[in-house]
Amino acid sequence: MSVRSFLTFLGVLLLSVSAPGADSSDSSKIFPYEYHVKDLKNGLRVVVIPTDYPNIVALQIPVQAGSRNEVEKGKSGFAHFFEHMMFRGTNKYSSEAYAHILKNAGADSNAYTSDDLTNYHTTFSKEDLENILKLEADRFKNLKYSEADFKTESKAVLGEYNKNSANPEQKIMEIQRDEAFKKHTYKHTTMGFIEDIEDMPNQYDYSIKFFHRYYRPENTSIILAGDLDPEKTFKLVEKYWGDWKPGNYSVEIPKEPEPDGPEYKHLEWKTPTLPLIMVAFHGPAFSETQNALGAMKILGEIGFGRSSDLYQKLVVDEQKVGP
């Protein structure tokens, strides 16, 4: 199972846990590992999953700020933008200092943005647990960047969009999303609409507003798996994250009307390429109270993911279709 699918599995788990202090002692739980859950007073949810892998810890920090949250006209792409900006540093740790600490710890760190969340993940040795939690807490609470840094990164995002658009599959997906949705914010990809990305260098003030709206403890979970003592781990998270101030911003995602029939769009590619066809169906949207989307993603990974029997047969063994 991929990191993203594992996180989706954990998302289903998080939705199903209703009480602080919950654990996996209930034999009816389907998650294959013991887990411990605690909600801090500021709304931050902490999940600790002890495993039998010696000395290794994996940290996942999903934030409920994906492209679905971008409801304001002309402001798409900011969830993905902060995936970049979160590595820009704080007054205490510059971006160079942040990278240096991770390098000295031998840690592997990265992030990704999806429709429904932005996730930051780091893998490191058990002995560095406190330092990593302290470092991550500082950037989530105290991210700071200049307008010049903002403009530099926004141009890098435009470059990433242009690179992706050179891939016909990516361009088809962008057009498909725009055609398939009329009101819901799934209409744009995580990159955002091109006109918004091109205007992003002018949106410095809005970027600060976006960060303070969404990067709050009530929108965030800390998931730690590995060679861990749950109680000691909870105390360390409380030490460095417990004073993070919650916010009060809420967003109403437009409800997508029922489709009234199929939509078709043809893309004429200017350079030689194989013919491509992409077919999609409307499914359940993300919900804070329902598990349908998470369950569907897990089933999709099991049925059609790289480790599935179907993929292994058609792609790996018989090589009848491409990956």
Side-chain angles (χ1 to χ4, degrees):
M1 184 180 291
S2 68
V3 170
R4 297 193 189 194
S5 297
F6 183 68
L7 187 63
T8 304
F9 201 162
L10 287 172
V12 176
L13 166 66
L14 290 173
L15 286 172
S16 67
V17 174
S18 58
D23 59 42
S24 57
S25 58
D26 183 351
S27 61
S28 67
K29 297 288 186 182
I30 63 169
F31 191 66
Y33 300 98
E34 177 187 10
Y35 61 85
H36 306 264
V37 182
K38 182 177 181 180
D39 291 344
L40 303 190
K41 291 181 180 179
N42 59 8
L44 180 70
R45 173 156 289 185
V46 187
V47 182
V48 178
I49 309 165
T51 72
D52 55 1
Y53 295 103
N55 198 42
I56 297 296
V57 176
L59 168 65
Q60 305 270 341
I61 309 178
V63 181
Q64 275 191 21
S67 54
R68 70 185 291 273
N69 298 86
E70 297 160 355
V71 298
E72 295 161 284
K73 185 175 176 57
K75 301 294 194 294
S76 66
F78 274 89
H80 169 254
F81 176 77
F82 272 98
E83 176 196 326
H84 289 245
M85 292 308 298
M86 283 295 287
F87 293 90
R88 278 289 179 173
T90 67
N91 285 337
K92 188 173 184 179
Y93 300 103
S94 66
S95 58
E96 294 79 12
Y98 177 85
H100 181 72
I101 292 171
L102 291 180
K103 181 179 179 181
N104 282 351
D108 178 59
S109 181
N110 214 325
Y112 64 83
T113 311
S114 73
D115 296 334
D116 304 310
L117 59 86
T118 304
N119 186 50
Y120 302 86
H121 51 94
T122 308
T123 305
F124 50 92
S125 298
K126 174 185 178 179
E127 63 192 36
D128 295 306
L129 175 62
E130 182 166 4
N131 281 338
I132 296 297
L133 286 174
K134 177 171 65 175
L135 191 67
E136 293 297 86
D138 179 63
R139 70 169 174 157
F140 273 77
K141 293 186 290 185
N142 304 310
L143 177 69
K144 190 170 184 180
Y145 51 86
S146 67
E147 188 168 359
D149 287 340
F150 171 82
K151 289 186 175 182
T152 297
E153 204 63 54
S154 63
K155 291 174 182 176
V157 170
L158 177 59
E160 183 179 348
Y161 174 89
N162 290 333
K163 178 183 176 182
N164 289 348
S165 293
N167 182 335
E169 291 186 20
Q170 293 292 326
K171 196 64 181 178
I172 290 173
M173 185 178 296
E174 177 184 328
I175 292 172
Q176 182 187 61
R177 294 276 289 271
D178 190 25
E179 194 73 16
F181 293 97
K182 308 306 178 188
K183 291 187 176 182
H184 198 281
T185 43
Y186 287 161
K187 185 176 181 67
H188 61 266
T189 66
T190 56
M191 289 295 298
F193 292 121
I194 179 58
E195 59 269 24
D196 297 344
I197 300 171
E198 290 175 334
D199 187 56
M200 198 171 276
N202 304 316
Q203 300 292 335
Y204 173 73
D205 291 339
Y206 179 79
S207 74
I208 295 173
K209 183 186 295 185
F210 186 95
F211 176 75
H212 288 299
R213 281 176 174 175
Y214 290 108
Y215 279 70
R216 295 290 186 173
E218 69 274 17
N219 297 327
T220 306
S221 297
I222 292 180
I223 304 166
L224 287 146
D227 190 357
L228 296 163
D229 177 282
E231 287 308 312
K232 291 180 180 178
T233 303
F234 284 137
K235 287 179 181 178
L236 285 175
V237 175
E238 178 77 54
K239 178 179 178 180
Y240 293 108
W241 297 76
D243 63 346
W244 192 12
K245 298 294 189 295
N248 56 14
Y249 180 78
S250 62
V251 61
E252 185 174 343
I253 310 299
K255 184 176 176 59
E256 181 68 17
E258 289 292 326
D260 55 7
E263 301 285 351
Y264 174 82
K265 195 80 172 181
H266 177 73
L267 173 65
E268 191 72 37
W269 201 249
K270 295 180 180 180
T271 56
T273 183
L274 292 172
L276 297 169
I277 184 170
M278 190 174 290
V279 180
F281 298 87
H282 282 254
F286 171 83
S287 169
E288 295 183 11
T289 58
Q290 302 296 321
N291 295 338
L293 176 63
M296 185 180 71
K297 286 189 173 183
I298 291 297
L299 288 172
E301 186 72 19
I302 293 171
F304 306 103
R306 289 179 177 270
S307 60
S308 68
D309 291 341
L310 184 63
Y311 185 97
Q312 292 297 312
K313 174 181 172 61
L314 296 181
V315 180
V316 178
D317 297 335
E318 299 180 3
Q319 298 185 12
K320 290 181 177 178
V321 295

